[in-house]
Amino acid sequence: MFKKSWILILLIGLTSGCSIYHVDSRDVTTEYYPPKKSAIDVVYLEEMNQSHELIGYVTVNTERRQRISEVIEKMKYEAGILGGDAITDIKTDATGQWKKLPAQKLIGNAYIRANFTAAVVVFK
């Protein structure tokens, strides 16, 4: 019994530090853009100062406490698959059931998971 308890405690400890990401993308163009070879070929720009075309959106669903740099890397990888040159306009929002809880003013930002969404663009 003692051995089984230690194994259970060890498994809980090992899995509690895991982070679950759900990455999704949606294209909004009928044009084909070849995928990038690496996420390094995709950049994050807070403001677009050159002409571009919107080709899709990337959404990463993860725990709210994740570093934005990790989320951006996942977004860049997915944007590269769509053939995008850059991601921009990142927005965050609570997910599903957290939005439906009563007393939203009371709980404020107490939600656990969040959606991070960015626009995927190609340069003209």
Side-chain angles (χ1 to χ4, degrees):
M1 181 68 174
F2 183 71
K3 186 176 180 180
K4 288 181 183 180
S5 297
W6 273 104
I7 291 173
L8 180 63
I9 291 171
L10 180 64
L11 286 174
I12 290 171
L14 290 175
T15 59
S16 66
C18 295
S19 211
I20 298 174
Y21 290 93
H22 178 76
V23 182
D24 191 24
S25 61
R26 138 177 95 91
D27 57 349
V28 294
T29 183
T30 57
E31 297 294 320
Y32 172 75
Y33 297 96
K36 303 296 183 205
K37 295 182 191 256
S38 169
I40 296 171
D41 298 333
V42 180
V43 296
Y44 166 60
L45 300 172
E46 288 186 28
E47 292 185 22
M48 295 299 297
N49 295 328
Q50 60 191 87
S51 69
H52 62 280
E53 179 182 347
L54 176 70
I55 65 166
Y57 294 96
V58 175
T59 302
V60 175
N61 178 276
T62 187
E63 288 90 11
R64 184 173 162 247
R65 64 179 170 80
Q66 293 303 317
R67 287 189 213 112
I68 192 70
S69 60
E70 293 175 13
V71 173
I72 288 174
E73 285 305 311
K74 302 245 184 267
M75 288 179 162
K76 288 169 58 176
Y77 180 80
E78 189 71 15
I81 293 172
L82 289 176
D85 294 323
I87 59 171
T88 188
D89 194 26
I90 295 178
K91 294 182 169 98
T92 184
D93 194 8
T95 61
Q97 295 300 324
W98 291 101
K99 285 183 171 182
K100 297 175 186 174
L101 290 175
Q104 284 294 316
K105 288 185 180 184
L106 177 65
I107 61 172
N109 286 335
Y111 52 88
I112 295 172
R113 296 193 61 83
N115 286 325
F116 296 87
T117 304
V120 180
V121 299
V122 292
F123 301 128
K124 290 186 178 184

